[in-house]
């Protein structure tokens, strides 16, 4: 086994995970059929990574992202987020964990149309009674500045471009001091140039703040900018990848092989 792969396995497995998924399965009813969206998935995500969950439509990537984000619950298995076992948590407990630990970025932005950019960023902070009005205002000012939209604070979503709306969504996700930001196809509704600029912004934030970013995607641009890659198909993880300089080291079928060094 090469030194690269030994380092890869050590880094992925030994580092304390911020997300731990143990033998998770998820099924749901579709008419008279039972659909298995996730099939015995196990995965650990270490803090500070820029990770892409990649797969075709129907592969289970969005279901996996929703389970990590405590939006959905597994049919079986165990999920631990930031040291908290989310099994058997009440909806209110899950909502509190999401509010304080996880930020979300959606492909359709999900901004409230009647609120300004600043008010959209402030909205999740209203669920934190320990923050004063001045503290909320400072967070809003700071994170709109981080995404380069300070001068657009009073603009409503319909006065902003698609890229600007996604920047507002990023600021909203960061304003709660989230340790994890989950992004579901964040470039899907953006043109190529704007999508690339948004990805570079998120990568810069990841590197500067250490915030963990996890994407679900089938966009090659997202995969090529990630430093970790999880490939999923038919509800199962088929490969794990680590970027080493300008190359990918893959562990296909969870079994490391020296020849699994290739580009996406």
């Amino acid at each position: 086994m090469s030194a690269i792969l030994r380092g890869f396995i050590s880094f992925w497995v030994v580092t304390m995970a911020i997300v731990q998924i143990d033998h998770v399965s998820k099924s749901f009813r579709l008419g008279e059929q039972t659909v298995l969206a996730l099939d015995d998935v196990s995965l650990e995500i270490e803090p500070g990574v820029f990770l892409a969950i990649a797969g075709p439509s129907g592969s289970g990537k969005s279901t996996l992202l929703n389970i990590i984000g405590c939006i959905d619950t597994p049919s079986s298995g165990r999920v631990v987020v930031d040291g908290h076992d989310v099994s058997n948590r009440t909806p209110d407990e899950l909502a509190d964990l999401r509010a304080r630990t996880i930020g979300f970025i959606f492909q359709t932005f999900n901004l409230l149309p009647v609120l300004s950019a600043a008010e959209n960023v402030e909205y999740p902070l209203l669920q934190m009674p320990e923050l004063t009005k001045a503290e909320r205002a400072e967070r809003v000012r700071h994170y709109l500045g981080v995404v380069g939209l300070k001068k657009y604070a009073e603009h409503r979503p319909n006065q902003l471009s698609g890229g600007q709306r996604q920047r507002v969504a990023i600021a909203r996700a960061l304003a709660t001091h989230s340790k994890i930001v989950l992004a579901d196809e964040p470039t899907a509704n953006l043109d190529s140039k704007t999508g690339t600029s948004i990805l570079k912004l998120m990568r810069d934030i990841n590197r500067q703040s250490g915030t963990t970013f996890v994407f679900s995607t089938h966009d090659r641009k997202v995969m090529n900018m990630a430093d970790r890659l999880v490939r999923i198909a038919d509800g199962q993880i088929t490969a794990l990848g680590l970027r080493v300089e300008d190359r990918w080291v893959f562990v296909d079928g969870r079994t490391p092989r020296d020849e699994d060094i290739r580009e996406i």
Side-chain angles (χ1 to χ4, degrees), residues 97-138:
L97 178 64
R98 286 195 300 271
R100 297 177 183 278
T101 307
I102 305 168
F104 295 90
I105 300 170
F106 304 95
Q107 68 180 66
T108 53
F109 319 129
N110 283 20
L111 302 179
L112 296 172
V114 298
L115 300 183
S116 67
E119 289 167 337
N120 268 283
V121 174
E122 183 186 24
Y123 187 76
L125 302 180
L126 298 175
Q127 311 306 313
M128 298 180 172
E130 70 274 16
L131 294 179
T132 66
K133 183 177 181 180
E135 288 171 331
R136 294 198 307 269
E138 173 56 25

Side-chain angles (χ1 to χ4, degrees), residues 23-170:
H23 301 288
V24 162
S25 294
K26 176 66 178 181
S27 60
F28 58 91
R29 296 287 296 177
L30 185 62
E32 296 184 356
Q33 293 184 322
T34 298
V35 176
L36 186 60
L38 293 176
D39 184 8
D40 194 28
V41 168
S42 293
L43 177 67
E44 293 188 355
I45 300 173
E46 69 267 31
V49 299
F50 202 69
L51 182 147
I53 301 172
S57 297
S59 61
K61 61 184 185 296
S62 292
T63 301
L64 180 56
L65 198 75
N66 288 340
I67 286 176
I68 293 171
C70 303
I71 294 175
D72 204 352
T73 55
S75 302
S76 62
R78 178 171 173 263
V79 179
V80 178
V81 178
D82 193 31
H84 302 280
D85 188 337
V86 301
S87 306
N88 301 316
R89 294 286 184 109
T90 67
D92 285 346
E93 289 172 334
L94 290 175
D96 187 64
L97 178 64
R98 286 195 300 271
R100 297 177 183 278
T101 307
I102 305 168
F104 295 90
I105 300 170
F106 304 95
Q107 68 180 66
T108 53
F109 319 129
N110 283 20
L111 302 179
L112 296 172
V114 298
L115 300 183
S116 67
E119 289 167 337
N120 268 283
V121 174
E122 183 186 24
Y123 187 76
L125 302 180
L126 298 175
Q127 311 306 313
M128 298 180 172
E130 70 274 16
L131 294 179
T132 66
K133 183 177 181 180
E135 288 171 331
R136 294 198 307 269
E138 173 56 25
R139 286 204 194 182
V140 170
R141 184 200 65 78
H142 173 72
Y143 286 105
L144 281 177
V146 167
V147 300
L149 287 182
K150 195 178 294 185
K151 67 180 181 180
Y152 295 93
E154 300 308 316
H155 287 59
R156 290 189 177 183
N158 66 357
Q159 298 172 304
L160 300 172
S161 68
Q164 289 170 331
R165 290 182 220 176
Q166 196 62 293
R167 287 172 181 262
V168 174
I170 294 168

Side-chain angles (χ1 to χ4, degrees), residues 248-263:
W248 282 101
V249 180
F250 276 93
V251 178
D252 291 328
R254 308 301 183 94
T255 303
R257 300 197 305 267
D258 287 358
E259 64 269 24
D260 283 328
I261 301 176
R262 57 181 180 271
E263 290 294 326

